[in-house]
Amino acid sequence: MAEATRYADEIIDDGFPWYAIRLFTTRQGEVKSYFEEQGFECFIPMQYIEAEGHDGRTHRALRPVVNNLIFVKQSDEETTFRRVVQQADYKISVLRKAKDSREYSLIPHRQMYEFRLMCNPEVTMRKFLSIEQAQLKAGEEVYVKFGPFKGLSGRLVRSSKKYYLLKEVPGLGIMLKVSRWCCVPIEKKE
């Protein structure tokens, strides 16, 4: 539990929205380094997987959830960000509000803050979904009032006879196991 607390302490909500960037390269780490060198904070959702080592034994390894998605904080003017994207030596695409729009889709700071908290690799009862799968899930908008995830909000959905808190951001969805008794509808948040 100390790892989970340390992870949560590193994530702050400073009021800046985020961009979601789709990559058309396998060099996710290099793209992240490029944006960080340009002064932008980046986030890649990670998870532990069982991997086989050179000695044939399995061990836990921290790997990206998806290899073609990276989130970048809008800490500078959009014109600066557009210039950095255009000058990149990598084939990338910033997710847009609509297919025919030139306007970038911005993820609100609170939504991204909660999403990053839910992506804690130490939490075991979670599932990642494509955005299409997430949109198919029916559920009520809730606020977690009690328990270790107190303060988070999302849709309360059911999967495999268990309840999950679903949070969606452009390009990815995450479901975190919660007790439905800890959740209240958004309008009854007080």
Side-chain angles (χ1 to χ4, degrees):
M1 195 65 174
E3 292 289 324
T5 305
R6 192 172 333 127
Y7 179 86
D9 290 342
E10 292 174 3
I11 296 175
I12 58 167
D13 183 9
D14 53 11
F16 290 107
W18 291 70
Y19 298 105
I21 300 176
R22 179 152 291 125
L23 310 178
F24 300 98
T25 178
T26 57
R27 299 183 293 184
Q28 188 177 31
E30 290 180 29
V31 175
K32 180 181 183 215
S33 296
Y34 168 74
F35 279 102
E36 288 174 341
E37 288 167 5
Q38 302 301 318
F40 291 95
E41 182 180 338
C42 299
F43 174 71
I44 298 173
M46 305 290 272
Q47 67 182 347
Y48 284 106
I49 62 163
E50 296 295 322
E52 188 174 315
H54 297 294
D55 57 358
R57 294 184 178 168
T58 60
H59 64 282
R60 281 179 44 165
L62 196 58
R63 300 275 193 260
V65 172
V66 288
N67 293 318
N68 69 340
L69 192 64
I70 186 171
F71 297 95
V72 178
K73 186 190 294 185
Q74 183 200 32
S75 54
D76 210 337
E77 295 291 320
E78 186 169 319
T79 53
T80 305
F81 180 74
R82 282 184 183 272
R83 181 181 44 77
V84 169
V85 168
Q86 290 169 353
Q87 292 175 351
D89 290 334
Y90 308 98
K91 188 167 175 151
I92 59 176
S93 172
V94 181
L95 295 177
R96 299 176 187 275
K97 289 188 176 188
K99 287 187 179 196
D100 58 347
S101 173
R102 290 192 31 81
E103 196 174 343
Y104 291 151
S105 178
L106 278 172
I107 304 167
H109 65 94
R110 181 70 186 169
Q111 183 180 356
M112 192 64 188
Y113 171 71
E114 290 183 359
F115 177 76
R116 292 188 309 151
L117 285 176
M118 291 172 75
C119 286
N120 183 347
E122 298 298 324
V123 176
T124 56
M125 293 298 291
R126 65 186 179 146
K127 298 178 182 180
F128 288 95
L129 308 167
S130 70
I131 200 66
E132 293 82 17
Q133 291 171 317
Q135 290 172 345
L136 291 175
K137 297 280 185 189
E140 180 181 11
E141 290 290 328
V142 296
Y143 172 80
V144 181
K145 196 164 184 173
F146 308 103
F149 305 116
K150 180 180 178 179
L152 297 179
S153 62
R155 276 192 294 148
L156 186 64
V157 298
R158 209 165 159 188
S159 177
S160 303
K161 299 183 181 178
K162 294 180 177 72
Y163 285 93
Y164 291 86
L165 185 68
L166 172 64
K167 179 66 82 176
E168 298 172 64
V169 295
L172 192 62
I174 183 171
M175 294 190 334
L176 196 65
K177 184 167 179 334
V178 295
S179 170
R180 69 179 176 163
W181 309 113
C182 294
C183 301
V184 295
I186 289 286
E187 60 270 0
K188 294 182 183 178
K189 187 173 158 179
E190 299 82 32

